[in-house]
Amino acid sequence: MAGKIPQSFVDEVRQKVNIIDVIGQYTELVKRGKQYNGSCPFHDDHHPSLFVDETKQVYNCFSCGRSGSVFHLLWKKRG
Ligand SMILES: [Zn+2]
């Protein structure tokens, strides 16, 4: 999948899209230290177990184990 997308496009999107903004559309994120923490939009999350690293532009859920970059998130959400 990732190999089909030109690196130039990936770089362009990375510069324009902040993963905090994208995930912030689905769940409320609270900044904790270097990371953002919020309820996971991928499963029925009762405790905020989703952590987002703004520097690396990746997310990681400790409950359901989903993780990845903003591209993975957009693909999953848009089907
Ligand atoms: Zn989750």
Side-chain angles (χ1 to χ4, degrees):
M1 284 283 281
K4 290 180 180 176
I5 295 177
Q7 187 60 42
S8 58
F9 174 76
V10 173
D11 290 339
E12 191 182 329
V13 173
R14 276 226 168 101
Q15 288 169 6
K16 290 180 180 174
V17 179
N18 190 329
I19 195 169
I20 303 298
D21 294 332
V22 177
I23 296 183
Q25 294 174 12
Y26 304 110
T27 185
E28 191 174 330
L29 293 172
V30 179
K31 191 167 190 183
R32 295 188 184 188
K34 292 181 179 179
Q35 291 188 317
Y36 286 80
N37 181 224
S39 295
C40 177
F42 299 111
H43 76 277
D44 189 16
D45 200 0
H46 299 290
H47 305 283
S49 47
L50 186 81
F51 286 88
V52 188
D53 191 315
E54 188 175 23
T55 307
K56 296 175 183 171
Q57 292 288 296
V58 294
Y59 65 92
N60 186 24
C61 175
F62 289 105
S63 285
C64 68
R66 285 190 172 86
S67 63
S69 70
V70 65
F71 301 102
H72 297 123
L73 181 79
L74 291 173
W75 282 327
K76 282 173 186 169
K77 279 294 177 185
R78 291 177 183 177

